[in-house]
Amino acid sequence: MKRGAAEPASLTTRWREASWPRLLMPLWVALAVIAVLAWQQPAAVTRLDLLAYDGLLPSHAAPADTAVVLAIDDESLSRLGRWPWPRSLHAQLIDKLHDAGVSTVGLTVLFSEPAGAGDAGDALLAQAMRRHGGVVLPLAPLRQINGTIVDGVPTAELRAAMSQLGHVDAEIDLDGQVRRVYLTAGTGTPQYPAMALALLQQYQPQQTISASLPGLRAAALVPPDDAAGIWMRDHEVLLPRMRLAPPISMVRVLDSPGLLQSLRERPVIVGVTASGLGGQLATPLAGERTQMPAVLWHAQVLAALRAGKLITPAAPISFVLFSLLLGCSAVLWPVAGRKRLHPWWMVASVSAPVLASAVLLYGWQLWFAPFASTLGLLAAALVWLGVHIRENGRSLVRSRQHAQATLEAIGDSVISVNMRSTIVYANPVALAQMGAGNLVGQPLASALVLETGSVAMLAAAVDECLHRACDVRPELYLVLPCDEAPPRSLRASISPLRDPDNRLEGAVIVLSDVTDTVASADRLRYAATHDALTGLPNRSLLQERLELALARMQRNVSTIALLFLDLDRFKRINDSLGHSHGDEVLKETARRLVAICRSTDVVARWGGDEFVIIMEDVSGPDAVALAVSKLIAVLREDVDVRGVRVTSNCSVGIALAPQDGTDVDGLLAKADTAMYRAKSHPDAGFHFYSSDLKVWTRERLALEVELRHALREEQFELHYQPQYRLRDGELFGFEALLRWRRDPDTLMQPADFIGVAEESGLIVEIGAWVVARAAADIARWIADGLQAMPVAVNVSARQCVNRHIVDVVRTALLDTGIPPALLKLELTETTAMTDAARVIELLEEISALGVRIAVDDFGTGYSSLAYLKRFPINELKIDRSFVQHVTSNAEDAAIVRATIVLAHELGIEVIAEGVENDAQKAFLLAQSCDIVQGFLYGRPQPLSATTPLL
């Protein structure tokens, strides 16, 4: 029950903390104000909306063929007589316009009263209108005495002769300005079009009065039975300013036939513009003049109609809804995002309705009166401002309480001092750390129980902060003594304190206990600079120590010896005994190096089984050689690893500074180069760097790059040396021998590049290429219908080590489809005996594929007969060094004879290579040698020269 009852309380608490009612209060105010103003439309708000419309009033150019205004101006009155003119004069004007080809004439003069008795003006005017056939007369609403509104239409005689009627009713706004017109109005049904619309319908008969007319429709039309005496309007539109051509004086048109002819096929509006005769409208369309003759007003309406630029006012319900939408969006956005109301957001929100009105006005020719929304948003902004001020006051109190609680709960010491360095505040941690009941009011220098140097450093930092008004963080840690424990390390941070007027009034000191952090950093620093296995400096610390040693060497004019040491055959220890035994060997090596070297020497682990030693202040190469000899002798002693005695040895490369340079990377590279030269001469044990080593290294690197290019560009070739069966002289097979076509005229032998290929590891890729190419050549022989012979391919030690050769052979057989017995692999006796157990396993996998196996250079290594009988080999090849002197050297002859007997006893065929004369052939035949190859039988030849032998 308790848990269930707590949940509603929790929700209520969260709602109260969120302060949503207070946050939504501006929204309620905005919506209420907008709703009232939009519905009631007070006169003051309406006047503001009218001013907004005048400020945003669009201006457009009139169409080229719009109506021409013929003005009855002062000049016309002075020439043709006082106003009103006789109707016969109007008849003459219509006749002249008819003769000039004017299509439509609109007279904005009301003829609602008949001419006087005996005056034939109405008849003449009616006759002229009938002859023209395109005259539009005006009508206006006339209020009678009893309040009834009737249509002020022309006389019956003129009505019968005219083409169409158009009303000249114009709406006057609250400020006395005319901005809008109703496209249809009248007291009956159907209603009359406005004068401009009537002219347009007469000029363009296809334009009809329909619901498609622009403008705001009337809310409800009075039924015809009740419409008597009620002047009804529909299709309300607002007018933009149209840039019209100036009106033409009537008298000038009558006096100028050319000007009259320019009006052909154009609509014409005739009206009074003379001063003092009335008919002037106050409208913002008049610009600076503020007054506009009614005839020009109608021309403006016609031009806007022709250009499609009439503006439709927003319907009341749309106006209310759009106002409310603007209010919601302006107020809810910061509320929903829980954002602080910025003054610029308030300004933007209040001005949003005006901007929206401008967008609707210019983009869609809709007029939205903005000031109901503007005033609502302004009221919301004021309410929000009041809420914000109240919330800020509460927030300040809450912030002060939180700050006090934070200072008391924080894990660091916080102490505030005034401008005289007197303590004015200390949190509980500071009191506990300093072992004091109260620190307030005490001088900083005497109140803190730090070491003397730390007190002075902190006081200096506080003085600097107070004088420079900036943050100060001493680089060194402060030391806090402890009675029964090691001293603690404190990091100090001093920041200035300012009053509300931004004047400096003191400083705040934060003391963080970083003892554990410093200890962890020391451990991490040690781990980053020392080898985890041996505890020796690692590569980064070695380079740093070497830089310092070189700086001391230049200062003291001394000599430095840099030793690069690599353990020999360390990989065999890892492979045979495991990495744990290898790690023990590395640790023992590090202990022996540290023990034999001087305390001033630096012993570092470079990586893997490589170590580097820096020996400073050496007297010369002789002293270095003596020291290195002792070092090598110590490392040659057996290492006892978990009951297994392991023999270790090393190769050392030596670079001297400044003789060999003073650059860190350069010296390390030179010592490394010398070490590799020492590895190539195992008897020496160590080697000093010399300039010729640089050339040797550069040449080998260049050769390695060329070998990679040769492999990529297929510059290698296979030459085939034939092998013959000795007893009958029949072709037995071939040995594939690699050649490098370095350029069209240079063919390199394997002895010139195989060593570099072995060291760089390229021998694996080259060996794979040789196997694939030999299998492809055998497949070509078979495809050509030739008697294919077995081909022997040499395999390197590195190919055997990574066991990649099995996949290579399997892939070659699958790709070419040749019989496996036609492919034979040859590995040297030394390779076979390097790791006999692993090689036996490898050869058994190859033999299982059906591929024959031969041991090459037999007799040059250190064969173990116990292993030899376990090898799944098919052939033994006697090295050419024995065959060469078999007829002149009894020892060589005995070795060859014994080898043949041994092989035959094991069921293995024997191949003698290097047979160059008949005496050698006769000796081998007498010893029952099986197969021979050599220059006596044929030299290695390209495939094209070998194929004919088949």
Side-chain angles (χ1 to χ4, degrees):
M1 288 296 295
K2 292 183 177 179
R3 294 183 61 183
E7 292 181 359
S10 178
L11 292 174
T12 304
T13 302
R14 287 200 298 269
W15 169 261
R16 190 181 299 113
E17 290 176 352
S19 301
W20 283 105
R22 291 193 298 275
L23 292 172
L24 293 178
M25 188 184 301
L27 177 61
W28 310 136
V29 172
L31 296 182
V33 172
I34 291 173
V36 171
L37 295 181
W39 193 258
Q40 296 296 328
Q41 296 186 358
V45 177
T46 303
R47 289 178 182 274
L48 291 175
D49 290 332
L50 294 175
L51 289 176
Y53 179 81
D54 294 344
L56 298 173
L57 184 65
S59 179
H60 306 286
D65 58 346
T66 190
V68 178
V69 177
L70 297 184
I72 303 175
D73 55 0
D74 294 332
E75 183 181 358
S76 300
L77 294 179
S78 64
R79 291 276 304 276
L80 301 177
R82 296 178 56 190
W83 187 259
W85 287 343
R87 295 181 184 181
S88 58
L89 184 59
H90 291 289
Q92 296 175 14
L93 171 64
I94 291 174
D95 287 337
K96 284 185 175 291
L97 293 177
H98 172 67
D99 295 340
V102 174
S103 61
T104 304
V105 177
L107 291 174
T108 60
V109 180
L110 291 174
F111 299 107
S112 57
E113 298 292 335
D119 187 353
D122 283 347
L124 293 175
L125 181 57
Q127 293 175 3
M129 288 191 294
R130 287 191 184 94
R131 282 193 297 272
H132 189 279
V135 177
V136 178
L137 293 182
L139 78 153
L142 299 178
R143 186 178 298 274
Q144 294 182 346
I145 296 175
N146 59 1
T148 303
I149 296 177
V150 298
D151 299 337
V153 296
T155 62
E157 186 177 5
L158 295 181
R159 247 188 350 263
M162 70 181 181
S163 299
Q164 194 167 355
L165 279 174
H167 78 79
V168 292
D169 182 21
E171 176 70 10
I172 301 176
D173 292 323
L174 289 177
D175 57 354
Q177 299 281 320
V178 178
R179 299 176 179 83
R180 69 191 75 218
V181 69
Y182 292 88
L183 296 181
T184 61
T187 58
T189 303
Q191 295 179 317
Y192 299 106
M195 171 61 74
L197 180 59
L199 284 170
L200 182 60
Q201 292 173 342
Q202 185 65 35
Y203 182 59
Q204 295 179 340
Q206 65 273 20
Q207 183 71 34
T208 59
I209 300 177
S210 64
S212 63
L213 286 176
L216 178 64
R217 299 302 305 273
L221 295 176
V222 180
D225 297 339
D226 301 330
I230 299 177
W231 183 264
M232 295 181 294
R233 297 166 169 174
D234 201 3
H235 294 285
E236 176 187 358
V237 292
L238 290 164
L239 295 180
R241 182 182 292 116
M242 305 301 294
R243 296 189 291 275
L244 301 174
I248 303 175
S249 175
M250 178 72 74
V251 68
R252 293 186 183 183
V253 172
L254 298 177
D255 292 346
S256 175
L259 183 59
L260 190 61
Q261 289 299 321
S262 67
L263 303 180
R264 176 177 293 275
E265 301 299 330
R266 297 279 298 277
V268 171
I269 304 178
V270 180
V272 177
T273 64
S275 58
L277 297 182
Q280 299 285 327
L281 299 177
T283 175
L285 275 63
E288 297 179 356
R289 293 176 299 178
T290 68
Q291 296 284 330
M292 175 182 287
V295 65
L296 294 181
W297 166 264
H298 297 303
Q300 288 270 346
V301 177
L302 179 57
L305 265 170
R306 292 293 310 282
K309 300 297 182 181
L310 292 174
I311 299 164
T312 301
I317 185 62
S318 301
F319 169 72
V320 172
L321 293 177
F322 192 69
S323 299
L324 295 177
L325 178 63
L326 277 177
C328 290
S329 61
V331 176
L332 277 181
W333 186 86
V335 172
R338 300 297 305 272
K339 298 178 180 297
R340 183 168 176 256
L341 189 64
H342 196 276
W344 285 111
W345 174 253
M346 296 171 60
V347 173
S349 300
V350 172
S351 60
V354 177
L355 297 177
S357 296
V359 172
L360 293 173
L361 180 63
Y362 284 89
W364 289 275
Q365 294 174 221
L366 295 174
W367 171 241
F368 162 70
F371 270 93
S373 301
T374 300
L375 294 176
L377 292 174
L378 181 60
L382 295 176
V383 172
W384 189 292
L385 186 61
V387 172
H388 188 60
I389 292 174
R390 182 170 177 269
E391 290 293 332
N392 278 349
R394 294 170 59 110
S395 178
L396 288 175
V397 175
R398 188 184 306 112
S399 298
R400 179 176 298 176
Q401 294 173 346
H402 289 177
Q404 184 70 23
T406 301
L407 289 174
E408 293 179 357
I410 197 171
D412 295 334
S413 298
V414 180
I415 300 172
S416 299
V417 297
N418 57 20
M419 295 298 293
R420 296 184 300 277
S421 294
T422 300
I423 298 175
V424 296
Y425 173 80
N427 70 344
V429 176
L431 298 177
Q433 201 172 59
M434 298 301 160
N438 187 21
L439 295 176
V440 177
Q442 300 183 32
L444 178 67
S446 60
L448 303 184
V449 290
L450 301 173
E451 285 190 349
T452 304
S454 298
V455 171
M457 182 170 57
L458 180 61
V462 172
D463 289 343
E464 181 181 359
C465 176
L466 294 177
H467 283 86
R468 297 178 54 191
C470 64
D471 294 342
V472 178
R473 290 175 174 80
E475 296 182 0
L476 301 179
Y477 296 133
L478 306 181
V479 179
L480 177 66
C482 297
D483 296 336
E484 300 178 355
R488 309 293 292 178
S489 298
L490 305 180
R491 178 191 289 118
S493 175
I494 303 97
S495 301
L497 282 177
R498 298 181 181 276
D499 61 12
D501 296 327
N502 202 32
R503 292 176 300 189
L504 189 67
E505 64 177 6
V508 58
I509 305 167
V510 178
L511 301 178
S512 305
D513 192 332
V514 294
T515 306
D516 297 336
T517 303
V518 170
S520 298
D522 290 341
R523 289 193 295 270
L524 290 174
R525 191 180 301 110
Y526 181 86
T529 56
H530 287 76
D531 177 55
L533 179 64
T534 62
L536 296 178
N538 62 10
R539 186 178 299 189
S540 61
L541 183 57
L542 168 71
Q543 292 178 327
E544 180 182 332
R545 296 282 179 87
L546 183 54
E547 289 177 356
L548 295 175
L550 290 172
R552 286 193 296 267
M553 175 200 72
Q554 293 177 350
R555 193 164 53 247
N556 300 330
V557 192
S558 59
T559 301
I560 291 177
L562 186 65
L563 279 56
F564 207 106
L565 182 148
D566 181 85
L567 298 182
D568 298 335
R569 297 187 297 277
F570 179 74
K571 188 175 184 304
R572 293 184 59 188
I573 297 175
N574 270 342
D575 293 343
S576 59
L577 299 179
H579 288 279
S580 60
H581 287 73
D583 291 345
E584 291 298 327
V585 172
L586 291 175
K587 289 192 284 186
E588 178 60 26
T589 301
R591 282 192 291 267
R592 292 182 182 184
L593 289 176
V594 172
I596 195 172
C597 290
R598 301 173 300 178
S599 60
T600 56
D601 297 338
V602 177
V603 180
R605 185 184 179 195
W606 183 255
D609 60 342
E610 296 176 331
F611 297 85
V612 176
I613 301 173
I614 303 174
M615 302 177 66
E616 297 188 59
D617 296 324
V618 296
S619 58
D622 294 338
V624 175
L626 180 60
V628 173
S629 298
K630 294 180 180 179
L631 186 148
I632 293 174
V634 169
L635 293 186
R636 280 179 178 171
E637 296 178 3
D638 292 346
V639 179
D640 188 355
V641 180
R642 302 176 186 175
V644 179
R645 298 195 66 80
V646 177
T647 301
S648 178
N649 202 352
C650 66
S651 299
V652 182
I654 307 168
L656 299 177
Q659 293 91 323
D660 296 328
T662 57
D663 176 64
V664 171
D665 294 334
L667 284 173
L668 288 168
K670 291 173 180 178
D672 189 25
T673 301
M675 184 270 292
Y676 275 104
R677 174 55 65 92
K679 270 190 172 298
S680 63
H681 297 79
D683 296 337
F686 64 89
H687 202 285
F688 282 91
Y689 175 81
S690 60
S691 58
D692 64 322
L693 286 181
K694 184 176 182 181
V695 176
W696 172 76
T697 304
R698 188 184 303 115
E699 290 177 350
R700 293 181 71 84
L701 288 175
L703 186 59
E704 180 182 342
V705 173
E706 289 189 48
L707 279 174
R708 295 185 185 277
H709 176 75
L711 186 61
R712 187 169 56 251
E713 300 298 327
E714 297 187 356
Q715 295 179 356
F716 291 114
E717 301 176 3
L718 283 187
H719 286 202
Y720 294 93
Q721 187 174 27
Q723 298 172 338
Y724 288 90
R725 193 173 298 279
L726 187 55
R727 67 174 180 269
D728 53 16
E730 290 185 4
L731 183 64
F732 173 77
F734 298 95
E735 180 179 5
L737 300 171
L738 184 64
R739 300 291 186 267
W740 178 13
R741 183 71 64 180
R742 197 167 187 178
D743 55 60
D745 299 327
T746 303
L747 190 66
M748 293 186 64
Q749 301 294 321
D752 298 327
F753 61 84
I754 285 297
V756 175
E758 286 276 4
E759 290 182 7
S760 63
L762 281 173
I763 192 65
V764 175
E765 297 179 57
I766 295 174
W769 180 87
V770 170
V771 172
R773 175 54 57 89
D777 290 344
I778 296 172
R780 186 181 306 172
W781 290 337
I782 296 174
D784 293 341
L786 301 175
Q787 178 63 41
M789 291 292 176
V791 174
V793 177
N794 291 286
V795 178
S796 71
R798 185 170 290 231
Q799 287 176 281
C800 294
V801 169
N802 62 15
R803 305 179 65 85
H804 183 59
I805 186 63
V806 178
D807 295 331
V808 169
V809 172
R810 184 182 294 110
T811 302
L813 294 177
L814 291 175
D815 290 344
T816 60
I818 64 173
L822 293 179
L823 188 62
K824 182 167 52 180
L825 299 186
E826 291 185 0
L827 67 159
T828 64
E829 181 186 14
T830 303
T831 300
M833 294 303 164
T834 300
D835 191 349
R838 177 174 294 189
V839 172
I840 290 172
E841 182 182 351
L842 175 68
L843 295 182
E844 287 176 347
E845 289 188 44
I846 297 174
S847 181
L849 298 175
V851 176
R852 297 173 61 84
I853 300 170
V855 175
D856 195 10
D857 299 339
F858 189 78
T860 60
Y862 304 94
S863 297
S864 170
L865 297 181
Y867 279 115
L868 183 61
K869 69 179 182 179
R870 293 173 53 191
F871 285 145
I873 60 177
N874 306 102
E875 299 170 3
L876 281 181
K877 294 188 71 173
I878 302 175
D879 188 65
R880 69 178 62 249
S881 62
F882 299 115
V883 176
Q884 183 178 7
H885 304 289
V886 72
T887 59
S888 59
N889 188 304
E891 293 179 355
D892 288 347
I895 291 174
V896 171
R897 189 180 300 111
T899 300
I900 295 173
V901 172
L902 174 63
H904 286 168
E905 289 294 330
L906 295 174
I908 301 173
E909 290 186 311
V910 179
I911 300 177
E913 57 182 351
V915 180
E916 299 179 356
N917 53 56
D918 291 332
Q920 296 169 348
K921 173 184 175 182
F923 176 84
L924 293 171
L925 183 58
Q927 303 305 319
S928 301
C929 182
D930 301 300
I931 303 156
V932 290
Q933 73 179 80
F935 291 169
L936 180 63
Y937 294 92
R939 293 176 177 272
Q941 296 292 332
L943 179 66
S944 58
T946 303
T947 301
L949 296 178
L950 299 176

